[in-house]
Structures are given as C-alpha cells and as structure tokens.
Amino acid sequence: MRTSSAPLPGGTWALGDLTVTRFGYGAMQLAGPWVMGPPADHDGALAVLREAVGLGITHIDTADAYGPHVTNQLIREALHPYSDSLHIVTKVGATRDQEGGWPPARRPDELRRAVIDNLETLRLDTLDVVNLRLGDAQGPVPGSLAEAFGTLVDLQRQGLIRHLGVSNATAEQVAEARSIAPIVCVQNMYNLAHRHDDELIDELAEQGIAYVPFFPLGGFTPLQSSALTAVASRLDATPMSVALAWLLRRSPNILLIPGTSSVAHLRENVAGAGLPLSDDDLAELGKIGC
C-alpha cells in the first residue's frame, strides 16, 4: 500500500482522544446503486479504500446499513488489521427495507443489534465513534432522543463504544444529547447552498466538537450556483474543488467525508480541498447560501 508523505488539506482534529485528519473519506458510495447491494467493481472498491489510507486519511465514515453490510465488509477486507492511526466512524438508528428506504430503527433492541452488527462486520472489539442517526430521509425531525441516546450511553459504559455523536439532528437534539453524555461530533447535511447550521457550527467550534457535513458536494443533486461557477472559472478549478476548499475554510471544526468509488476522483477531491481561496473568493462564496 502506497503511503503519501504530503500533508492532507486542513490538518487534523481531535475527536475526544482520537486524532483524525480533517479530510476524511465517506464509504457510502462503495455500495451498489442507491446504496444497495455490492459494488459493480469489487476490486476497485478495495483500491479506493487502500488509496485513502495511502494518502494519509485517518477518518473513514461508514454504516452497517450501507448495502446493507456491504461497506463495512469492504473496509474489513481492504484494511483489516487496522493501523492504530485509522479511526472508523459509524452510525446506527436506521436500517434498509426491500424498497431501498431508510426506516428508523431506534428502539433499544434495534440499536444494540446495530452496534453488534457493526462490530462483527468491521471485526472490532470497540467502535471508535458511533453516531445516532435521527430524523428521516427528508432531514431532521424534532423530538426527544433521550431513550435512544441513553441506550448508546449504556453500550459505551460496557466498552463497546468509545465516543458518541449524533447525525441528522436539530440544534435542540444536539443540546439534549450533550446534557446526557459528552459527544465528539455532529453529522448533518451542510454545504455552500445549505447553510442552516451556521450558528450550530460556531457553537460547536467553541466547545471543541466536530461538525461533519454529509452531502458536502450536494449529494445526488450536485451543487449549482453561478457564483460557485464564477469562482471556479477564475481559479481554473472545478466547482466541487471550490466547494470542498470552502468547507475547510468555513470553520476549523469541520471535517470532510466526501465519498467516491473512483481512485482518480478521490485524488481530485484531496487536491481540490487544498485549493487556496482569497478573501474576495470567500466573500463571493459566502453569499450563496444566505
């Protein structure tokens, strides 16, 4: 496995006592179409994971619901036994149905089963970070997380989980989780065009808690903006590179987990995130989601 000596853009961040690169990798796209079934190119998927580690990435995001089980099995096949520096972040709280939907699975027995499944498929004794996925496929849904989060706290006390986080959560749910037990990260949808969590990001930064935007490039609907296109053209870069670079500049507690099933695209994302942005660029981009 090739190992790069070049530093990754953004440096590192501490998830509790774990140090991770701010540029990470999201494994969701390694599963089949619509995150169901195995990848079309099994060996290619393994190559992407090995390239990620070879580039120096120490933060891989996954979930046993992806596939289901597919991405975790690929991670294990490609990277086990894991290096001490590699940290795998997973999530529980949703499963898959036969139609490819994401029904919630947040009863205590469902969460315990999900944690055990993640441990088994990843071949780990303890999960580094587990995010409780809330809401639904349309976004966060208000409501108490006390019972579900309390279940994960119990599993943490049993030594099955090292650190906790929440995903697809409202600001109120983040506050409620923090009142129950420490969290190290919040994983929500956020990008140049979706800026609803601006205030939350700043609050978390003050508390030393990471914010991990999923769909940093717009997800299944890529970001479209005349301002983004204009800045990218001026810098002779792709809009996606500019979007990633902006996220790293937005706040020091933002961790990136862009996904791809291509080694070439992974390298492009890493290079793009390191794109230098001027104050004028940042000012122009900052108006997109306002």
Side-chain angles (χ1 to χ4, degrees):
M1 187 184 303
R2 181 181 66 85
T3 301
S4 173
S5 59
L8 288 163
T12 61
W13 181 265
L15 292 174
D17 61 347
L18 309 175
T19 299
V20 299
T21 50
R22 288 183 63 208
F23 191 99
Y25 172 71
M28 185 175 74
Q29 290 188 31
L30 293 183
W34 301 104
V35 204
M36 290 291 286
D41 182 356
H42 180 88
D43 290 344
L46 300 181
V48 170
L49 288 163
R50 290 167 179 154
E51 178 69 7
V53 172
L55 289 169
I57 290 171
T58 62
H59 172 201
I60 293 180
D61 179 83
T62 186
D64 207 44
Y66 295 163
H69 312 303
V70 170
T71 61
N72 279 2
Q73 291 168 349
L74 290 168
I75 289 168
R76 183 187 69 207
E77 183 177 353
L79 304 175
H80 191 276
Y82 310 112
S83 72
D84 291 341
S85 63
L86 180 64
H87 301 297
I88 300 172
V89 177
T90 190
K91 64 185 70 63
V92 297
T95 186
R96 305 305 304 277
D97 58 28
Q98 293 299 315
E99 291 72 41
W102 301 83
R106 293 191 286 269
R107 297 196 313 266
D109 61 314
E110 293 173 320
L111 293 171
R112 293 188 188 99
R113 180 69 257 170
V115 166
I116 296 301
D117 284 348
N118 275 277
L119 288 166
E120 290 178 350
T121 55
L122 289 166
R123 198 175 296 168
L124 287 168
D125 296 322
T126 303
L127 298 170
D128 280 338
V129 183
V130 174
N131 286 311
L132 173 64
R133 187 185 189 278
L134 300 162
D136 56 29
Q138 282 67 54
V141 176
S144 176
L145 53 64
E147 181 181 40
F149 194 70
T151 299
L152 296 187
V153 172
D154 287 342
L155 294 170
Q156 183 183 41
R157 290 170 179 155
Q158 294 172 34
L160 301 181
I161 300 172
R162 193 165 184 173
H163 296 295
L164 298 171
V166 292
S167 177
N168 206 29
T170 66
E172 292 75 20
Q173 288 167 333
V174 172
E176 184 182 16
R178 295 186 62 205
S179 73
I180 297 170
I183 64 172
V184 298
C185 57
V186 173
Q187 187 180 109
N188 279 358
M189 181 177 178
Y190 180 85
N191 53 50
L192 266 169
H194 297 86
R195 302 276 301 277
H196 52 282
D197 271 354
D198 273 336
E199 184 176 342
L200 178 61
I201 289 170
D202 295 338
E203 291 176 359
L204 294 173
E206 292 177 0
Q207 301 299 320
I209 298 171
Y211 184 94
V212 187
F214 61 77
F215 291 160
L217 304 178
F220 298 110
T221 304
L223 294 176
Q224 301 292 327
S225 163
S226 57
L228 176 58
T229 300
V231 172
S233 297
R234 190 163 63 239
L235 297 175
D236 192 24
T238 66
M240 298 305 97
S241 294
V242 175
L244 288 174
W246 178 83
L247 281 168
L248 278 184
R249 290 287 298 273
R250 166 62 182 82
S251 182
N253 67 323
I254 287 182
L255 311 184
L256 300 185
I257 52 168
T260 179
S261 58
S262 160
V263 168
H265 190 208
L266 173 62
R267 293 172 183 162
E268 290 172 6
N269 283 342
V270 172
L275 187 72
L277 299 175
S278 69
D279 290 342
D280 289 343
D281 296 332
L282 293 170
E284 189 170 353
L285 295 169
K287 297 175 182 177
I288 292 175
C290 298

